[in-house]
Amino acid sequence: MNEILFSNEVIVYLLSETIIYGLLFLSFIVSLGILKSWNYENFNQKQFILENRSYLVESILFFTLILKVFLLPYFVYTIDNLSLLIPGAMCGAGVIEANSYGNPLLILKMIILFLSGLWFSINRLDLQKKSYPYLTIKLWLFVAIFFLLSIEYSLDIAYFTHIATETPVTCCSVLFSQVGGANGLPLGLTLAKLVWLFYLVYILLMLSIFLEKILLSVFTSALFAFIAYYAVVYFFGTYVYQLPTHNCPFCMLQSYYYYVGYLIWGLLFFSVYLIFNYGVMSYFFKTNFQKNKAMILSLLTAFVFVCSAYVILYYVRNGVFL
Amino acid sequence: MNVITIENMHKIYHENSTEEFEVLKNINLVVKKNEMVIVSGVSGSGKSTLLSLVAALEKPSSGKIIVLEELVSKLPDIHASKYRAKHIGIIFQNFNLLESLSVETNVMAPLIHSGLTFSQIEEKVQYSMKLASIEHKATQEIRLLSGGEKQRCAIARALVHNPELILCDEPTANLDKENTLKFISLLETLQELGKTIVIATHDPLFDTLTCVSRVIKMENGRIL
């Protein structure tokens, strides 16, 4: 048996995922039953039973999907802690690369979280009305999420059971060895162009949100997430580590860096999520985008501010850039 | 104007189990504005369940319940409590008061989440206590009150949010003759104020009252 599976964090994580998956599986079965026979215009016994069941399913989904939200940072924390058990791993970057399941699993978790957030918003909208107008939409969305959850659960099992503790992994050591560390940048960008692009896309995103150009905001936020990821890893991160060759998205999650990675990635993820969520809700369900503008703009600005502050503080203290 | 409309309504407890029991069978009922309707029948005839369903404390197994143009039988739970807070005053047999709190606080309870200012709440509480003749016991704890006083406190609480419909479930079961007569006098006052009142009781005294619009007899879950 793989010793990874005896790690406290992995036991807690897999147990939680199993319980949640079990509850979601039951909800999935009940949801299919509701979708099959739902007709609000009926006043018969069957329809009343379905209405009662829908309330039960909604409650289960609400609480289990909330737990899933908390399990994402816990997953990141778990893989970061596992770096102690895997030769060559200095942080979560090495652990996530320990087999081919790691990266798809992490990306899938983020997609599920985005879709779960959308489910919360539709559920909230549905509960505000008296005639269950969005019940079928939210249950179909859950059915789609459940298929992704099933893949995620399989990947969870496959990932943790296939981490070898005897074989050394590469981790950020590879990146350390590449002076300049910018070799991994996409679209042939240089570091300077990346930073300019980061601030330009940020301004464009702020403007699109401010002017309430919904579709433009959603697409720009996806572009911003992409650019910001590389900007944090290859530019701002080096100021967090105070080392120009250290390009790692995970090390900043460690206590040595005051867990600032949780703040940086959390702000980026949450602000992009809100733009996506409120954008989709506003576009398809005609909800009010305007009242959430201030919060989204604040979160985005906080993210850019935290990233930029590391660069400015470094310059103030040392009189040079890295 | 119809305040309550019930069509082909059934209520079954323990559905699809060996203990399945149909407590209400094909109920059809209309109650008009400002009526005082007595629902009478022996224990177990379904009177209290009928009131619970009108108050959206429970849901029917099938059929329509429309109260003040609100489709109560299909209200999601979150809206059911708002509906009660807005339209319904309920007086229970056992009063359901908070024993360790004062009369004033008990009467105030339904308005806590109303969004009114404290002075507005205070004004409504004073008016309601005066209407139920319990204002002289405002600061007294419930556990120190007599049965009749508890009943008046329960009435004040049921009236504090000025509901259009008042439901009374065996309101005089725990009262002596004198307090029962006081309660009836209060009901007459409420009717004069334009309230619609439905009383579930097996007390024969109600059948003879002049203020009563109709008496509906129930037996084995059916309206006779």
Side-chain angles (χ1 to χ4, degrees):
Chain A
M1 178 75 84
N2 190 332
E3 69 180 284
I4 291 291
L5 295 176
F6 290 105
S7 150
N8 288 341
E9 289 85 2
V10 175
I11 291 170
V12 170
Y13 174 76
L14 286 180
L15 195 63
S16 309
E17 284 284 12
T18 304
I19 293 167
I20 288 172
Y21 186 76
L23 286 167
L24 290 170
F25 180 74
L26 290 175
S27 305
F28 172 71
I29 301 292
V30 178
S31 297
L32 289 182
I34 295 171
L35 285 168
K36 191 180 158 207
S37 311
W38 182 266
N39 182 358
Y40 181 73
E41 300 305 320
N42 278 350
F43 286 83
N44 57 23
Q45 197 173 347
K46 191 174 184 183
Q47 176 62 22
F48 277 93
I49 289 171
L50 293 180
E51 285 171 18
N52 286 337
R53 281 188 187 161
S54 75
Y55 189 70
L56 175 70
V57 168
E58 278 161 20
S59 305
I60 293 174
L61 289 182
F62 182 81
F63 288 107
T64 45
L65 292 178
I66 282 210
L67 285 176
K68 287 290 291 180
V69 172
F70 287 105
L71 271 179
L72 179 62
Y74 186 74
F75 172 77
V76 173
Y77 169 80
T78 301
I79 56 172
D80 203 43
N81 268 9
L82 288 181
S83 60
L84 301 170
L85 297 174
I86 299 167
M90 289 179 285
C91 65
V95 183
I96 205 83
E97 297 277 359
N99 60 45
S100 57
Y101 303 113
N103 275 320
L105 178 60
L106 191 59
I107 292 165
L108 186 59
K109 279 180 182 298
M110 288 195 270
I111 293 169
I112 288 172
L113 214 57
F114 268 59
L115 293 175
S116 300
L118 193 59
W119 186 90
F120 284 125
S121 297
I122 298 173
N123 183 49
R124 186 160 173 258
L125 199 63
D126 188 48
L127 291 177
Q128 285 169 359
K129 312 279 181 189
K130 294 173 182 173
S131 56
Y132 308 89
Y134 304 114
L135 185 101
T136 49
I137 294 173
K138 73 181 179 189
L139 289 187
W140 278 119
L141 177 61
F142 167 64
V143 169
I145 293 172
F146 182 77
F147 281 112
L148 296 179
L149 285 164
S150 300
I151 299 169
E152 184 210 12
Y153 186 62
S154 310
L155 281 175
D156 267 328
I157 303 291
Y159 173 65
F160 284 110
T161 51
H162 287 82
I163 297 177
T165 49
E166 307 85 29
T167 319
V169 295
T170 49
C171 199
C172 19
S173 54
V174 169
L175 298 166
F176 269 122
S177 68
Q178 295 168 342
V179 176
N183 299 11
L185 290 179
L187 313 169
L189 288 168
T190 63
L191 204 53
K193 280 180 184 169
L194 177 74
V195 176
W196 276 111
L197 200 58
F198 173 80
Y199 285 107
L200 277 174
V201 177
Y202 163 67
I203 292 165
L204 178 64
L205 184 54
M206 293 286 278
L207 276 173
S208 65
I209 294 166
F210 189 74
L211 298 172
E212 293 176 33
K213 305 287 180 198
I214 308 294
L215 277 182
L216 182 65
S217 301
V218 172
F219 287 117
T220 314
S221 70
L223 178 65
F224 182 69
F226 180 74
I227 298 293
Y229 169 79
Y230 285 99
V232 170
V233 173
Y234 288 95
F235 179 70
F236 296 111
T238 59
Y239 286 88
V240 173
Y241 307 129
Q242 306 200 357
L243 198 62
T245 52
H246 193 176
N247 305 129
C248 178
F250 281 93
C251 285
M252 61 179 77
L253 299 168
Q254 293 176 342
S255 59
Y256 188 75
Y257 301 103
Y258 306 105
Y259 304 105
V260 74
Y262 287 101
L263 178 68
I264 290 174
W265 294 123
L267 282 171
L268 174 64
F269 186 85
F270 194 51
S271 51
V272 172
Y273 155 73
L274 286 181
I275 297 165
F276 166 78
N277 190 25
Y278 290 135
V280 170
M281 291 304 290
S282 167
Y283 193 77
F284 289 105
F285 298 94
K286 309 297 172 210
T287 57
N288 188 354
F289 185 78
Q290 193 180 13
K291 66 178 180 182
N292 304 301
K293 258 170 40 178
M295 183 168 62
I296 295 172
L297 294 175
S298 310
L299 283 167
L300 268 177
T301 306
F303 166 70
V304 174
F305 176 78
V306 171
C307 290
S308 308
Y310 270 95
V311 181
I312 294 164
L313 283 175
Y314 186 88
Y315 184 78
V316 170
R317 282 180 190 151
N318 302 289
V320 288
F321 290 110
L322 278 171
Chain B
M1 181 202 170
N2 293 348
V3 173
I4 303 174
T5 308
I6 302 177
E7 291 173 13
N8 307 320
M9 193 262 287
H10 294 254
K11 176 65 184 175
I12 303 167
Y13 285 125
H14 308 294
E15 283 177 76
N16 303 320
S17 80
T18 52
E19 293 170 15
E20 184 172 299
F21 173 62
E22 190 169 8
V23 65
L24 291 174
K25 297 163 190 166
N26 198 29
I27 301 291
N28 288 282
L29 175 69
V30 172
V31 176
K32 294 192 182 299
K33 188 172 168 55
N34 205 210
E35 274 193 313
M36 188 190 291
V37 175
I38 307 298
V39 183
S40 76
V42 296
S43 293
S45 58
K47 307 183 299 289
S48 298
T49 305
L50 180 63
L51 258 55
S52 298
L53 290 162
V54 171
L57 290 166
E58 290 184 69
K59 284 189 178 179
S61 301
S62 63
K64 267 186 196 175
I65 305 173
I66 300 165
V67 179
L68 295 158
E69 297 175 345
E70 188 97 71
L71 187 51
V72 171
S73 50
K74 278 182 177 274
L75 269 187
D77 286 2
I78 192 166
H79 294 283
S81 45
K82 286 179 190 164
Y83 150 78
R84 278 192 297 276
K86 191 175 172 191
H87 298 297
I88 309 288
I90 310 174
I91 299 164
F92 299 94
Q93 178 181 345
N94 295 319
F95 317 126
N96 290 2
L97 296 164
L98 300 163
E99 291 282 320
S100 58
L101 298 181
S102 69
V103 168
E104 195 171 26
T105 317
N106 268 277
V107 175
M108 200 180 281
L111 298 178
I112 288 173
H113 293 291
S114 63
L116 297 172
T117 63
F118 187 75
S119 61
Q120 287 171 319
I121 290 175
E122 189 63 28
E123 191 183 330
K124 282 175 180 288
V125 168
Q126 291 303 327
Y127 174 75
S128 186
M129 286 194 301
K130 194 173 178 186
L131 199 63
S133 307
I134 193 70
E135 76 276 25
H136 61 289
K137 296 278 184 180
T139 55
Q140 192 92 282
E141 281 183 27
I142 298 296
R143 61 190 173 87
L144 303 173
L145 300 181
S146 68
E149 288 167 337
K150 283 181 184 175
Q151 178 68 296
R152 291 205 292 278
C153 178
I155 293 165
R157 185 187 57 184
L159 298 176
V160 74
H161 54 295
N162 194 25
E164 293 105 308
L165 176 61
I166 296 165
L167 305 172
C168 311
D169 188 9
E170 300 285 4
T172 56
N174 290 326
L175 299 184
D176 55 24
K177 184 84 184 275
E178 188 192 339
N179 279 309
T180 299
L181 292 172
K182 279 185 187 168
F183 175 73
I184 289 168
S185 152
L186 182 58
L187 287 180
E188 286 168 349
T189 310
L190 294 178
Q191 199 183 23
E192 283 162 19
L193 289 171
K195 308 290 180 196
T196 306
I197 304 165
V198 180
I199 304 164
T201 181
H202 59 259
D203 189 340
L205 183 66
F206 282 91
D207 298 357
T208 59
L209 296 176
T210 51
C211 57
V212 167
S213 316
R214 271 186 297 154
V215 178
I216 294 165
K217 300 270 184 198
M218 286 194 73
E219 194 177 297
N220 293 326
R222 289 183 193 279
I223 292 178
L224 299 177

